[in-house]
Amino acid sequence: MKLQHTPGPWVISGHDIHDRETRFDDSGARVGTTPNAIAQVYLVPVGCRESNASLIAAAPELLEALETLLPLAIHTSPQDVAVHQARAAILKAKGE
């Protein structure tokens, strides 16, 4: 099963993580941005709340960075533990 995620960047606003998707009307004119909710971070200690929100908001960029770096890592150190960890993280992020 391959999952599709909301493209980044994701941003933090209080307890909420959302995107900044640009909206267009039927004629193609931009009508502004309306944030789409990605997640809400509650029920954890305050210090963890901000850290969790930051990690969640960084997820699209982290996935993209891993996908970019993995071919180089495979080329230079194909048996390295980090290569296996990167592959596993990418598969997990994609729901595979």
Side-chain angles (χ1 to χ4, degrees):
M1 172 176 77
K2 184 173 182 175
L3 301 178
Q4 297 293 322
H5 66 81
T6 304
W10 296 350
V11 294
I12 302 167
S13 177
H15 299 283
D16 302 326
I17 295 97
H18 54 83
D19 70 354
R20 288 285 186 185
E21 185 174 291
T22 302
R23 306 287 184 193
F24 299 91
D25 65 16
D26 291 338
S27 70
R30 182 176 156 175
V31 293
T33 57
T34 303
N36 293 305
I38 302 297
Q40 293 181 323
V41 182
Y42 290 102
L43 304 176
V44 294
V46 173
C48 291
R49 190 178 306 148
E50 287 82 11
S51 296
N52 290 349
S54 295
L55 182 59
I56 293 166
E61 290 90 349
L62 291 170
L63 176 58
E64 183 178 356
L66 270 180
E67 290 177 323
T68 300
L69 290 170
L70 186 58
L72 176 62
I74 290 169
H75 179 73
T76 57
S77 302
Q79 299 305 317
D80 194 283
V81 171
V83 170
H84 299 288
Q85 291 172 328
R87 280 187 177 132
I90 290 168
L91 291 173
K92 183 177 181 179
K94 291 185 169 189
E96 297 175 5

